[in-house]
């Protein structure tokens, strides 16, 4: 039987995260999780420990860790450090590390990190309410502990993962593909198609900016034309997904057009690649979502679990999807973006030449 680990600690609810990271998101998700998956024997909740300083040092500098512990914010307007935020960051970092180990040791087929997916923090700078890089620590630990040298990160969060880019731009062991809303129109203002890595890592970072309101069909096309061929050629030993609910059309911070069905579809396509290329090994970080409709955040996370695991959870849109998000909005522009990206990367990847 395939087993799935869901990494979650009740402690995260105690931390006051401020800003748009509403605390009720975790309880809302766990309520829905219990309703839909609570009785299944193939899903298991695993309570992670907080990351130790040695764990954090896999990515972050000692100086940075000390500054964070002293809560000396460099940019309090962007990321005001608080006891709650720092404790939560340590917990998520510990969860990310453990999730990778649970999958790679063969105990679980796949793992889901509830609340995870820190994209903006880099090695020595907190950003966008991200403090410690849970994904970075997960990847670096797998390199060290399991000798992995091919890790694929697929980041479909609506914001560009510029912190992850800064961490892995020079590293050819990590192929980072980020699909996000055009950074001309959204925080953090980075993630353009010319950002393709540096030094030895040139060609191992792929930024795919999409026009606002891009919906399910646009994402499907990008996955088919860029992500799948790259994954097949790279042939990863594990796939890490940065996922969540913020590309949903109801999100109030972003302006993408995915439906819950689209979020599920992304999980299905990436999971099929994991099955084909790396014995199913996949860790899914599900944490984003700022919808004005509080039902959407947990439903998006569950849609992702449904897609990745292949378990049909009947996650249906609570309200009818407006016509504009059923159209092919942005499809033509995206086709041009895809061609540009394929041309730019043709020198590094046979699948595009
Ligand atoms: Zn986001």
């Amino acid at each position: 039987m395939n087993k799935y680990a869901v990494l979650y600690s009740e402690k995260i609810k105690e931390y006051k995260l401020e800003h748009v990271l509403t605390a009720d998101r975790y309880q809302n998700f766990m309520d829905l999780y219990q309703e839909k998956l609570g009785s299944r024997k193939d899903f298991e909740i695993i309570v992670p420990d907080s990351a130790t300083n040695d764990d954090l040092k896999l990515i972050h500098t000692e100086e940075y860790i000390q500054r964070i512990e002293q809560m000396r914010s460099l940019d309090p307007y962007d990321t005001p450090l608080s006891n709650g935020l720092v404790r939560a960051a340590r917990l998520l970092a510990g969860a990310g590390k453990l999730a990778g180990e649970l999958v790679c040791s063969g105990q679980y087929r796949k793992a889901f990190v509830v609340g995870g997916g820190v994209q903006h923090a880099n090695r020595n700078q907190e950003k966008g309410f991200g403090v410690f890089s849970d994904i970075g620590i997960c990847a670096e630990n797998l390199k060290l502990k399991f000798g992995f040298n091919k890790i694929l990160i697929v980041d479909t969060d609506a914001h560009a993962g510029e912190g992850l880019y800064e961490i892995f731009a020079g590293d050819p062991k990590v192929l980072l593909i980020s699909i996000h809303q055009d950074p001309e129109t959204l925080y953090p203002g980075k993630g353009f198609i010319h950002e393709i890595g540096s030094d030895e890592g040139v060609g191992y970072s792929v930024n795919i900016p999409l026009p606002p309101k891009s919906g399910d069909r646009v994402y499907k096309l990008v996955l088919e034309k860029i992500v799948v061929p790259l994954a097949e050629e790279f042939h990863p030993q594990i796939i890490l997904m940065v996922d969540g609910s913020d590309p949903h059309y109801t999100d109030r911070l972003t302006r993408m057009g995915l439906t819950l069905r689209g979020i599920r579809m992304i999980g299905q396509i990436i999971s099929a690649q994991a099955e084909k290329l790396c014995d199913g090994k996949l860790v899914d970080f599900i944490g984003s979502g700022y919808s004005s409709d509080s039902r959407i955040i947990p439903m998006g996370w569950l849609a992702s679990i449904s897609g990745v695991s292949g378990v049909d959870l009947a996650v249906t849109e609570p309200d009818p999807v407006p016509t504009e998000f059923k159209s092919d909005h942005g499809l033509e522009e995206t086709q041009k973006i895809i061609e540009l990206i394929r041309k730019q990367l043709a020198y590094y990847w046979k699948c595009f030449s």
Side-chain angles (χ1 to χ4, degrees), residues 2-4 103 108-112 152 231-232 235-239 267-282 307-310:
N2 287 335
K3 283 174 70 186
Y4 304 99
V103 169
Y108 293 86
R109 187 87 175 161
K110 291 176 173 58
F112 302 91
L152 170 61
E232 287 179 350
H235 213 110
Q237 292 153 306
I238 188 168
I239 302 177
Q268 281 172 323
I269 292 177
I270 304 301
S271 184
Q273 288 302 302
E275 294 300 330
K276 186 174 169 186
L277 303 170
C278 48
D279 205 21
K281 290 189 189 68
L282 189 154
V308 167
S309 67

Side-chain angles (χ1 to χ4, degrees), residues 51-119:
T52 63
N53 278 4
D54 281 343
D55 297 335
L56 299 178
K57 278 188 217 159
L58 287 165
I59 289 288
H60 302 285
T61 60
E62 176 125 36
E63 193 187 6
Y64 176 67
I65 298 165
Q66 274 179 16
R67 180 170 67 73
I68 295 297
E69 283 303 318
Q70 291 159 1
M71 276 169 244
R72 287 189 282 122
S73 306
L74 279 194
D75 183 355
Y77 293 102
D78 178 279
T79 305
L81 294 174
S82 65
N83 195 43
L85 190 69
V86 173
R87 299 279 82 78
R90 252 190 207 265
L91 183 61
L92 291 174
K97 180 179 173 240
L98 178 62
E101 291 177 354
L102 292 175
V103 169
C104 293
S105 61
Q107 293 177 71
Y108 293 86
R109 187 87 175 161
K110 291 176 173 58
F112 302 91
V113 181
V114 177
V118 173
Q119 303 177 285

Side-chain angles (χ1 to χ4, degrees), residues 18-279:
E18 314 280 349
H19 192 47
V20 289
L21 289 167
T22 46
D24 61 350
R25 61 183 51 223
Y26 305 109
Q27 191 57 52
N28 290 347
F29 171 72
M30 292 315 289
D31 289 347
L32 190 62
Y33 173 86
Q34 289 301 349
E35 181 195 323
K36 301 277 188 182
L37 288 163
S39 61
R40 289 184 68 113
K41 291 202 164 41
D42 48 349
F43 280 79
E44 211 174 302
I45 294 172
I46 305 287
V47 181
D49 289 326
S50 293
T52 63
N53 278 4
D54 281 343
D55 297 335
L56 299 178
K57 278 188 217 159
L58 287 165
I59 289 288
H60 302 285
T61 60
E62 176 125 36
E63 193 187 6
Y64 176 67
I65 298 165
Q66 274 179 16
R67 180 170 67 73
I68 295 297
E69 283 303 318
Q70 291 159 1
M71 276 169 244
R72 287 189 282 122
S73 306
L74 279 194
D75 183 355
Y77 293 102
D78 178 279
T79 305
L81 294 174
S82 65
N83 195 43
L85 190 69
V86 173
R87 299 279 82 78
R90 252 190 207 265
L91 183 61
L92 291 174
K97 180 179 173 240
L98 178 62
E101 291 177 354
L102 292 175
V103 169
C104 293
S105 61
Q107 293 177 71
Y108 293 86
R109 187 87 175 161
K110 291 176 173 58
F112 302 91
V113 181
V114 177
V118 173
Q119 303 177 285
H120 303 302
N122 65 26
R123 289 183 194 275
N124 49 27
Q125 172 77 60
E126 70 279 19
K127 215 179 158 201
F129 284 77
V131 177
F132 298 126
S133 180
D134 51 357
I135 304 148
I137 288 164
C138 175
E140 215 53 54
N141 182 54
L142 294 177
K143 281 157 70 178
L144 199 70
K145 210 165 195 168
F146 294 86
F148 278 17
N149 55 17
K150 285 184 180 208
I151 296 169
L152 170 61
I153 301 176
V154 180
D155 177 352
T156 56
D157 188 285
H159 301 88
E162 93 286 21
L164 284 173
Y165 178 80
E166 286 158 15
I167 290 170
F168 292 117
D171 186 352
K173 293 180 180 172
V174 176
L175 171 58
L176 171 66
I177 307 175
S178 179
I179 306 171
H180 44 260
Q181 184 178 321
D182 182 356
E184 295 273 16
T185 64
L186 186 65
Y187 183 92
K190 290 184 180 173
F192 295 97
I193 61 175
H194 66 267
E195 297 172 50
I196 60 165
S198 58
D199 306 315
E200 285 174 34
V202 176
Y204 289 87
S205 285
V206 183
N207 278 290
I208 310 171
L210 298 179
K213 294 189 183 176
S214 292
D216 298 358
R217 290 197 191 102
V218 168
Y219 277 82
K220 188 162 186 281
L221 188 71
V222 167
L223 292 168
E224 286 171 354
K225 297 285 182 192
I226 298 183
V227 181
V228 168
L230 275 178
E232 287 179 350
E233 188 170 337
F234 182 64
H235 213 110
Q237 292 153 306
I238 188 168
I239 302 177
L240 311 181
M241 285 178 74
V242 189
D243 211 346
S245 305
D246 79 357
H248 189 267
Y249 75 88
T250 61
D251 203 89
R252 65 196 154 105
L253 287 194
T254 73
R255 288 197 282 139
M256 297 311 277
L258 270 179
T259 65
L260 293 173
R261 189 194 285 252
I263 294 174
R264 183 167 187 266
M265 177 255 320
I266 293 171
Q268 281 172 323
I269 292 177
I270 304 301
S271 184
Q273 288 302 302
E275 294 300 330
K276 186 174 169 186
L277 303 170
C278 48
D279 205 21

